[in-house]
Amino acid sequence: MTGKQSQRQDQYNRGKQLFIDTAKHLFKTQGYDKTKVSDIVNASGRNVSTLYHYFPAGKKDIVKILLITDIKEEFDKLAALMAQESDRSLIDALHLFYHQFVAIFYHNWYLMSIMLYYKDDFEAEVTPITREGTDHMRKLLAAFLKKRVDNRELYITDCNVAAKLFFAPGMEAIIVNFSEPEKDVFDTTEIDQLIAIWQRETIFFDQSK
Amino acid sequence: MTGKQSQRQDQYNRGKQLFIDTAKHLFKTQGYDKTKVSDIVNASGRNVSTLYHYFPAGKKDIVKILLITDIKEEFDKLAALMAQESDRSLIDALHLFYHQFVAIFYHNWYLMSIMLYYKDDFEAEVTPITREGTDHMRKLLAAFLKKRVDNRELYITDCNVAAKLFFAPGMEAIIVNFSEPEKDVFDTTEIDQLIAIWQRETIFFDQSK
């Protein structure tokens, strides 16, 4: 790329990002359905043809980009966290995974609610991102649990099922939180009970030896 | 009530029900946001002032009535089921409760998604219905579990937490199902693992005796 080309590319990216940031702010504050393309255009101080140049399908295209940048990146960060060895205690590590997993959905609820409500518009292209992200997290958690089972720190018959069970209360808390008055979505009471019963058998195993 | 009064009351109720049934059909088929009051009026063959006579707040009032008739009644049925003694096995009873609980949300998803998306419109009056319904189910399940713990059929330290954990996979499955291609929301793999670990300690208890 020549200097001029790269300057043009920067300008192009900045213009695109301005629309994305503006749309994100409007989706969050006034809702997706009440945000018109003209609102995004006006709040950005650009013109409508520029917006459609960047986003041929308008609002929908912006949501898709937000999903990739804001959600996929968070999933990748958590994946890295779960894959790496650490000197955290078992409980601390599980709490951290749970917290980060819930946080992804919590901080991007405005996007999730759009996907839930406008399922038909996003099913084909967008839900694979959240689906694969969630499945990948579960697989990594299952692998993490399996190691602890092998170490006899936990007693779990099927780590894949256990991983699904582990994230379910968080997912439920998120949904409930956003349909009702604020509650503590990061509360770990349920997963603490789960971890305790996963640990329990080991004790009896050891006692029966 | 005189015969004439009761006839008038019947007519009033029938007129009201016609609007409710029509709106329900339209909400389900074309979505809440795309259904205008005029669509409900036209599809019912009545006039707009009649609709506002029954439902001063329009669509919102109809959603509120649907929540009471379609969801609250289902919660009451499940409550009756959970409270009654039966000769079902423990596993069969738990499967039945789980199935019925999930079914309530599954069959009324169109209402749930409206509540999730238009939180501000429904929070004050409507969410207490689903919240109290869900909490009540959990309390009844906790009481059911407690009995089985007392009978040493299950080993659970906190039955209230256990009851929350038990319904979480179902709630998550519902949400995932409606944001993605159809999946089996009634799948019991996760709760089966949970039940198995609730039962496990008892075995070791007995063995260690």
Side-chain angles (χ1 to χ4, degrees):
Chain A
M1 243 189 250
T2 67
K4 210 160 196 176
Q5 274 177 321
S6 112
Q7 213 181 343
R8 229 178 272 146
Q9 185 63 39
D10 278 356
Q11 209 171 8
Y12 180 91
N13 289 345
R14 270 202 308 278
K16 195 172 176 182
Q17 195 56 45
L18 176 66
F19 280 127
I20 295 170
D21 293 342
T22 308
K24 181 175 172 172
H25 175 72
L26 292 173
F27 293 162
K28 277 189 170 184
T29 50
Q30 64 188 46
Y32 178 75
D33 59 324
K34 291 193 187 87
T35 301
K36 306 214 178 318
V37 165
S38 58
D39 297 334
I40 304 168
V41 167
N42 293 337
S44 309
R46 311 295 294 263
N47 63 61
V48 70
S49 62
T50 314
L51 185 140
Y52 281 110
H53 170 68
Y54 291 117
F55 312 105
K59 287 201 294 182
K60 258 203 283 190
D61 277 350
I62 302 180
V63 167
K64 285 175 195 171
I65 288 172
L66 283 167
L67 269 156
I68 293 166
T69 55
D70 291 11
I71 296 191
K72 198 175 171 311
E73 278 174 18
E74 289 300 312
F75 275 132
D76 292 344
K77 267 188 242 169
L78 179 53
L81 191 70
M82 292 175 85
Q84 98 200 3
E85 288 302 320
S86 93
D87 49 7
R88 276 180 210 99
S89 76
L90 175 62
I91 307 274
D92 285 351
L94 288 172
H95 276 184
L96 182 66
F97 300 160
Y98 186 77
H99 186 281
Q100 295 298 102
F101 184 82
V102 170
I104 295 174
F105 294 94
Y106 185 64
H107 295 136
N108 295 293
W109 175 255
Y110 78 105
L111 284 174
M112 294 299 173
S113 73
I114 295 168
M115 284 174 56
L116 285 172
Y117 197 79
Y118 295 99
K119 182 189 177 185
D120 296 341
D121 290 351
F122 296 105
E123 190 169 85
E125 293 165 75
V126 171
T127 59
I129 297 172
T130 51
R131 171 84 330 232
E132 277 161 30
T134 310
D135 283 348
H136 188 49
M137 293 312 105
R138 286 190 181 127
K139 252 179 225 156
L140 290 171
L141 179 64
F144 176 91
L145 295 174
K146 183 72 177 58
K147 264 192 214 164
R148 304 304 176 129
V149 167
D150 292 342
N151 284 347
R152 307 195 70 179
E153 290 174 76
L154 295 175
Y155 188 93
I156 298 169
T157 45
D158 184 329
C159 290
N160 291 310
V161 175
K164 284 184 83 174
L165 200 51
F166 183 79
F167 286 132
M171 295 288 276
E172 191 204 335
I174 287 286
I175 300 299
V176 169
N177 180 68
F178 283 99
S179 58
E180 292 178 18
E182 289 272 315
K183 59 169 268 178
D184 180 11
V185 294
F186 299 107
D187 175 81
T188 58
T189 313
E190 289 144 271
I191 61 150
D192 285 338
Q193 185 183 79
L194 197 54
I195 298 168
I197 48 182
W198 283 341
Q199 292 182 305
R200 218 164 51 190
E201 193 89 340
T202 333
I203 299 165
F204 280 88
F205 249 120
D206 289 344
Q207 283 182 347
S208 64
K209 267 193 296 198
Chain B
M1 245 189 249
T2 67
K4 212 161 194 175
Q5 276 178 321
S6 112
Q7 212 181 345
R8 230 179 271 145
Q9 184 64 38
D10 278 356
Q11 210 171 8
Y12 180 91
N13 289 344
R14 270 201 308 279
K16 194 172 178 182
Q17 194 58 44
L18 176 66
F19 281 127
I20 295 171
D21 293 341
T22 308
K24 180 174 172 173
H25 175 72
L26 292 172
F27 293 162
K28 278 189 171 184
T29 50
Q30 64 187 46
Y32 177 74
D33 60 324
K34 291 193 188 86
T35 302
K36 307 214 176 319
V37 165
S38 59
D39 296 334
I40 304 168
V41 167
N42 292 339
S44 311
R46 312 295 295 262
N47 64 61
V48 69
S49 62
T50 315
L51 185 141
Y52 281 110
H53 169 69
Y54 291 117
F55 313 105
K59 288 202 293 182
K60 258 204 283 190
D61 278 351
I62 302 182
V63 167
K64 285 175 194 170
I65 288 173
L66 283 168
L67 269 156
I68 293 166
T69 55
D70 291 11
I71 296 191
K72 201 177 169 310
E73 278 175 17
E74 288 300 312
F75 275 132
D76 292 345
K77 267 189 241 168
L78 178 54
L81 191 70
M82 292 174 84
Q84 98 200 2
E85 289 302 320
S86 92
D87 48 8
R88 275 181 210 98
S89 77
L90 175 62
I91 308 274
D92 285 351
L94 287 173
H95 276 183
L96 181 66
F97 299 159
Y98 186 76
H99 186 282
Q100 296 298 102
F101 184 81
V102 170
I104 295 173
F105 294 93
Y106 185 64
H107 294 136
N108 295 293
W109 175 255
Y110 78 104
L111 283 174
M112 295 297 173
S113 72
I114 296 167
M115 283 173 56
L116 284 172
Y117 197 78
Y118 296 99
K119 183 188 176 184
D120 296 342
D121 289 351
F122 296 105
E123 190 169 87
E125 292 164 76
V126 171
T127 59
I129 296 171
T130 52
R131 172 84 329 234
E132 277 162 29
T134 310
D135 283 347
H136 188 48
M137 292 312 104
R138 287 190 180 126
K139 252 180 223 152
L140 290 171
L141 179 64
F144 176 92
L145 295 173
K146 183 70 177 61
K147 263 192 213 164
R148 304 304 176 128
V149 167
D150 293 342
N151 284 349
R152 309 195 66 179
E153 290 174 75
L154 295 175
Y155 188 92
I156 298 169
T157 45
D158 185 328
C159 290
N160 291 310
V161 175
K164 284 185 84 176
L165 199 52
F166 184 79
F167 286 132
M171 294 288 277
E172 192 205 335
I174 287 286
I175 300 299
V176 169
N177 180 68
F178 283 99
S179 58
E180 293 178 17
E182 289 271 315
K183 59 168 266 179
D184 180 11
V185 295
F186 298 107
D187 175 81
T188 57
T189 314
E190 290 144 270
I191 62 149
D192 285 338
Q193 186 183 80
L194 197 55
I195 298 168
I197 49 182
W198 283 341
Q199 292 183 306
R200 218 164 52 191
E201 192 89 342
T202 333
I203 300 166
F204 281 88
F205 249 121
D206 290 345
Q207 284 181 345
S208 63
K209 265 193 296 200

